[in-house]
Amino acid sequence: MGIIDNINKLFDHRIRLGIMSILMVNEDADFNRLKELLDVTDGNLASHIKALENEAYILVEKQFIGRKPNTSYSATKLGKAEFKKHINALEKLIKKK
Amino acid sequence: MGEKDYLKDISDIKDMMNRSSRFISLSGLSGILAGVYALIGAGYAYWLVTSSDRGYLILDGQIFRLILLDLILVAFFSIATAIFLTTKKARSHKVSVWDTSTKRLLVNFLVPFIAGSVYILIILNQQKYGQTGALMLIFYGLALVNASKYTIGNIKYLGYVEIALGLLGALWPGYGFWFWVLGFGVMHIIYGSIMLAQEKKR
């Protein structure tokens, strides 16, 4: 136990891991930007975003740019803290072996 | 989940962070070189003015035109170096240079920068040139702070420093040239060195 406690099940997936990585270093990113970077389908991305949003790890903001709706995502304080914990736990696990 | 997966997770995270914030790596080297060009340009301008008969600058002269050309060359080489080094780096990481974050960064930088440049040209034409160095620093600093929203890294602080130097330069118009040297020359070299040290650490 101990280290394993800090491994976050929610980050145990390539796309959710990717979304968080992007939002850690970018103040925000919109849907298309995430899609372009992660190379996934709309539906797939949307469901993973939903999962992170439900845990309040990311913040969703809907707005209009001209007439086009635009949704931007950013990491919350909680999300950033959890993600850092997760990375630390991963690094410790690697070092141990 | 085995050991290999953890390793892969970590490398995925690093890869995604690097790719999504490509323009943070407006490499440290290009910062240092921009500072060096600014110092060379300033040295040439200083030599031009002090070795002339008059010993100070007036607007409608051969020397003034040379200094303007000198400035344009400094800006040109700085930008060309930054573009060249960034493109090279992007290619070695196999990412496109021209993507959404680049565009946003550029637009946010260029709006205050161009507004400032045009303003400076206008007041130069009205014979008010005492504040030119200070104004260049202030507008450049504002452009950096504005663009910094789309990068990580410390470019915001470089922007604040440039603004502060610009305001100080405005207080002491006689020393505008030296504030310019400090802001565009020395600060770029310091900032570039810090960036380079960070890049090496990674």
Side-chain angles (χ1 to χ4, degrees), chain A residues 2-14 17-18 21 82-97, chain B residues 1-14 17:
Chain A
I3 293 167
I4 302 291
D5 288 344
N6 283 331
I7 288 287
N8 196 323
K9 269 274 176 283
L10 203 64
F11 298 136
D12 216 1
H13 187 284
R14 189 188 76 87
L17 201 73
S21 307
E82 289 296 324
F83 194 65
K84 273 182 196 151
K85 256 197 250 168
H86 182 71
I87 295 178
N88 286 339
L90 286 181
E91 278 174 346
K92 270 185 200 152
L93 275 172
I94 293 165
K95 271 181 203 152
K96 240 184 157 184
K97 285 169 188 174
Chain B
M1 197 159 153
E3 182 187 357
K4 264 187 195 151
D5 292 317
Y6 294 133
L7 266 175
K8 197 178 165 303
D9 274 7
I10 291 278
S11 76
D12 277 357
I13 290 169
K14 280 189 182 151
M17 284 181 169

Side-chain angles (χ1 to χ4, degrees), chain A:
Chain A
M1 293 307 267
I3 293 167
I4 302 291
D5 288 344
N6 283 331
I7 288 287
N8 196 323
K9 269 274 176 283
L10 203 64
F11 298 136
D12 216 1
H13 187 284
R14 189 188 76 87
I15 293 168
R16 290 195 289 268
L17 201 73
I19 295 171
M20 285 310 289
S21 307
I22 294 165
L23 295 180
M24 288 296 280
V25 292
N26 291 275
E27 205 156 291
D28 56 61
D30 64 18
F31 193 86
N32 287 330
R33 174 89 179 124
L34 290 176
K35 209 175 101 176
E36 171 190 309
L37 282 164
L38 294 164
D39 196 21
V40 285
T41 62
D42 283 19
N44 206 349
L45 181 57
S47 74
H48 289 297
I49 285 173
K50 197 82 210 150
L52 289 168
E53 192 192 351
N54 286 341
E55 292 293 321
Y57 286 177
I58 61 175
L59 192 73
V60 180
E61 266 176 293
K62 291 195 165 85
Q63 61 196 1
F64 278 85
I65 295 179
R67 286 192 172 179
K68 269 203 264 167
N70 179 281
T71 314
S72 78
Y73 305 92
S74 56
T76 61
K77 263 190 185 157
L78 174 73
K80 284 186 179 176
E82 289 296 324
F83 194 65
K84 273 182 196 151
K85 256 197 250 168
H86 182 71
I87 295 178
N88 286 339
L90 286 181
E91 278 174 346
K92 270 185 200 152
L93 275 172
I94 293 165
K95 271 181 203 152
K96 240 184 157 184
K97 285 169 188 174

Side-chain angles (χ1 to χ4, degrees), chain B residues 44 46 48 72 76 92 100 104 145:
Chain B
Y44 177 65
Y46 188 74
L48 268 180
I72 292 169
F76 173 78
S92 74
T100 336
R104 284 202 292 190
V145 171

